[in-house]
C-alpha cells in the first residue's frame, strides 16, 4: 500500500514559492542500499546498471521508500552516469568500489561518443517513469533528474569517482576547446533526456552538480553556471510548468550567483551552507531545499531531533523543502528515516 500524503501537492506548492506547513520532504537517494527490500531486489540482477535498465525492478525500487514513509515525492531510480552510457561510453559499477568508465581525454575518444543511439538506450528509464507515474496517486509528483554537464564530464574524464576532479580540471585548462565540446554535447543530450522524462511523467526536475565545488569562480561561471543556464532556458521554453531544482554541491558563496544566473526554480543546499545564510541570502529570492547532514541521520538520537527542529525554525517560515545536504548513507537505519519524517510532519 502506498501512503497518500496528508495534504496533496505540497512539493509543487513549495516550488512555486509558497510556505507550506509542514514543509514537503523527500530525500536524495531515498531508494537504495539502506533499505533491506532494495538489497533484495538488487540481488536479483547481476549489476547496478542492469537494475537501472530494468523498468519493472527500477519502478519497484523507486516506490519502496514511498511504501514505508510519508514522503512528498518519488525520484526515479536511475543514475547520472546513464548519460555517458547512452553516449556509448563504457560504464560499469564495480561492487564495493563505485563507477568505472573508459576515460574520455582526447579528441579520439571524444569522437567515439555518439548521440544518435541515446534515445533508444535511455528508453528503459522512460518506461520506469511511466510505471511509477501510473502507480502513484496524482498528488505525489515524480522527480526526474540528470547530472549537470560539469559533474558528468568529471566522471567521463576521470574514468570514475575522484577526490579532486584534477584530470577533468586539467583537460578543461589544457584543451578548453575539446572540453567545451564535451560540455556542449552533455547540454544537448541532457536536455533531451530531461524532456523525455517529463513526457514519461516527471513533473519536477533536479540537476545534480555534485562536484560544482571543485572549480574556481571563473571555471564555475563557465562550466557550471553557463551550461545549466542553457539547459534551464531550453526547458522553460519547452515545458514551462515544470520546476527545476539546481543542486550545485559545494558551491559555497557562489551559490548566490548560481541562483541569479541559471534561472533555476529552487536551490538545493548542501550540508556546508549555514542555516542563517540560507535564510538570509537565498530564501528571500528562491525556494530552498536541504540540508541535513546525512551522517546525523545515520547517527540518530537527540542530536538529530535537535537539528531537525533548528532547521524547521530557521527555514520553515518561507518556501522550503526538507531534504538532506547529500544522499542517504547505505548504513542508515530505516527507523532514523522514519523518525526524521515524523518530526518534520509534526511541523
Ligand atoms: O546498488 C548500489 O549499491 C549502487 C549504489 C548507487 C545507487 C543506489 C549508485 C552508484 N547510484 C545509485 C542511485 C542514484 N544515483 C540515484 C537514485 C535515486 C534516488 O535518489 O533514490 C540518484 C539520484 C543518483 C545520482 C548520482 N549518482 C549522483 C549525484 C548525487 C550525489 O550523490 O552526489 C552521483 C555523483 C552519482 C554517481 C554514483 N553512482 C553510484 C555511486 C556510488 C556514485 C558516486 C561515485 C563517487 O563519486 O564516489
Amino acid at each position: 500500500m502506498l501512503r497518500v500524503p496528508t495534504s496533496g501537492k505540497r512539493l509543487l506548492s513549495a516550488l512555486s514559492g509558497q510556505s507550506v506547513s509542514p514543509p514537503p520532504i523527500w530525500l536524495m537517494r531515498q531508494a537504495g542500499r539502506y533499505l533491506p527490500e532494495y538489497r533484495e531486489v538488487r540481488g536479483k540482477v547481476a549489476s547496478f546498471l542492469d537494475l537501472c535498465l530494468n523498468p519493472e525492478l527500477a519502478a519497484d525500487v523507486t516506490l519502496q521508500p514511498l511504501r514505508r514513509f510519508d514522503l512528498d515525492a518519488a525520484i526515479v531510480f536511475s543514475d547520472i552516469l546513464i548519460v555517458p552510457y547512452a553516449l556509448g561510453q563504457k560504464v560499469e559499477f564495480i561492487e564495493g568500489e563505485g563507477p568505472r568508465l573508459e576515460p574520455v581525454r582526447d579528441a579520439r575518444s571524444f569522437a567515439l561518443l555518439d548521440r544518435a543511439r541515446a534515445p533508444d538506450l535511455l528508453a528503459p528509464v522512460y518506461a520506469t517513469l511511466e510505471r511509477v507515474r501510473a502507480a502513484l496517486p496524482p498528488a505525489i509528483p515524480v522527480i526526474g533528474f540528470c547530472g549537470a554537464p560539469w559533474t558528468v564530464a568529471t566522471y567521463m574524464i576521470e574514468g570514475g569517482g575522484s577526490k579532486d576532479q584534477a584530470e577533468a580540471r586539467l583537460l578543461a585548462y589544457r584543451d578548453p576547446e575539446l572540453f567545451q565540446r564535451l560540455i556542449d554535447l552533455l547540454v544537448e543530450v541532457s536536455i533531451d533526456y530531461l524532456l523525455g522524462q517529463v513526457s514519461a511523467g516527471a513533473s519536477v526536475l533536479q540537476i545534480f552538480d555534485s562536484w560544482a565545488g571543485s572549480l574556481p569562480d571563473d571555471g564555475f561561471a563557465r562550466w557550471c553556471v553557463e551550461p545549466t543556464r542553457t539547459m534551464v532556458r531550453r526547458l522553460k521554453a519547452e515545458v514551462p510548468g515544470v520546476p527545476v531544482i539546481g543542486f550545485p554541491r559545494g558551491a559555497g558563496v557562489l551559490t548566490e550567483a548560481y541562483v541569479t544566473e541559471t534561472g533555476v526554480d529552487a536551490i538545493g543546499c548542501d550540508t556546508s551552507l549555514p542555516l542563517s545564510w540560507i535564510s538570509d541570502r537565498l530564501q528571500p529570492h528562491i525556494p530552498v531545499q536541504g540540508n541535513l547532514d546525512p551522517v546525523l541521520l545515520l547517527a540518530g538520537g537527540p542530536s538529530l531531533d535537535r537539528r531537525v527542529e533548528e532547521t524547521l525554525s530557521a527555514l520553515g517560515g518561507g518556501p522550503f523543502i526538507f531534504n538532506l545536504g547529500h544522499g542517504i548513507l547505505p548504513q542508515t537505519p530505516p527507523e532514523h528515516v522514519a523518525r526524521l519524517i515524523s518530526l518534520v510532519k509534526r511541523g
Side-chain angles (χ1 to χ4, degrees), residues 29-31 33 38 48 78-80 145 155 161 208 210 326:
R29 297 267 175 109
Q30 65 191 24
R33 265 179 301 171
Y38 170 82
F48 171 74
S78 178
D79 194 86
I80 64 167
F145 74 90
Y155 286 93
F208 287 89
S210 303
H326 201 191

Side-chain angles (χ1 to χ4, degrees), residues 37-342:
E37 59 270 35
Y38 170 82
R39 297 195 295 268
E40 199 190 316
V41 174
R42 174 68 185 79
K44 293 183 187 169
V45 286
S47 77
F48 171 74
L49 202 54
D50 289 343
L51 178 53
C52 295
L53 297 173
N54 181 322
E56 189 186 343
L57 297 183
D60 184 33
V61 160
T62 303
L63 295 167
Q64 286 175 345
L66 288 105
R67 295 193 187 106
R68 272 188 186 248
F69 309 120
D70 188 6
L71 290 158
D72 292 294
I75 176 162
V76 63
F77 191 83
S78 178
D79 194 86
I80 64 167
L81 300 180
I82 203 93
V83 164
Y85 158 81
L87 289 170
Q89 190 173 11
K90 191 162 175 244
V91 179
E92 282 178 294
F93 289 84
I94 315 287
E95 214 57 57
E97 187 194 308
R100 194 185 291 164
L101 299 85
E102 189 98 354
V104 172
R105 290 187 192 162
D106 51 28
R108 195 195 50 82
S109 45
F110 176 76
L112 296 175
L113 301 173
D114 176 14
R115 226 181 115 191
R117 287 181 60 222
D120 287 344
L121 293 170
L122 294 168
V125 181
Y126 306 144
T128 301
L129 260 154
E130 281 166 10
R131 282 171 178 260
V132 171
R133 184 59 278 163
L136 283 171
I140 305 190
V142 184
I143 302 171
F145 74 90
C146 69
W150 160 250
T151 285
V152 175
T154 68
Y155 286 93
M156 295 176 77
I157 296 163
E158 302 277 343
S162 63
K163 67 175 188 336
D164 53 12
Q165 296 72 55
E167 289 293 342
R169 287 186 281 154
L170 206 55
L171 184 68
Y173 298 140
R174 279 193 178 147
D175 194 344
E177 220 166 273
L178 177 65
F179 187 77
Q180 188 68 52
R181 278 161 63 204
L182 176 57
I183 292 286
D184 291 346
L185 174 67
L186 287 168
V187 165
E188 293 306 318
V189 73
S190 303
I191 291 169
D192 290 347
Y193 181 42
L194 291 177
L195 289 173
Q197 292 183 63
V198 171
S199 299
S203 54
V204 173
L205 298 170
Q206 176 153 318
I207 301 174
F208 287 89
D209 214 345
S210 303
W211 298 117
S214 60
L215 285 168
D217 56 357
D218 53 347
F220 180 80
R222 182 166 176 191
W223 293 309
C224 292
V225 170
E226 198 49 44
T228 305
R229 193 212 332 235
T230 305
M231 288 174 61
V232 172
R233 199 190 314 121
R234 295 261 294 280
L235 291 167
K236 292 290 157 200
E238 300 276 341
V239 286
V242 176
V244 180
I245 307 168
F247 178 53
R249 188 167 73 91
V253 295
L254 297 175
T255 308
E256 279 185 297
Y258 179 95
V259 163
T260 45
E261 287 161 30
T262 60
V264 292
D265 297 279
I267 185 76
C269 300
D270 69 62
T271 301
S272 72
L273 296 179
L275 291 175
S276 58
W277 192 84
I278 297 171
S279 88
D280 293 350
R281 306 296 285 263
L282 301 178
Q283 205 177 25
H285 310 290
I286 190 165
V288 298
Q289 172 176 286
N291 76 340
L292 191 83
D293 186 355
V295 178
L296 185 53
L297 184 62
L298 165 61
S303 1
L304 172 65
D305 290 19
R306 203 174 323 118
R307 184 66 179 183
V308 171
E309 290 311 324
E310 283 165 12
T311 305
L312 290 170
S313 68
L315 303 175
F320 175 48
I321 299 139
F322 207 110
N323 205 315
L324 302 176
H326 201 191
I328 297 187
L329 295 164
Q331 315 89 307
T332 305
E335 310 80 68
H336 293 187
V337 176
R339 172 76 186 159
L340 164 65
I341 293 168
S342 78

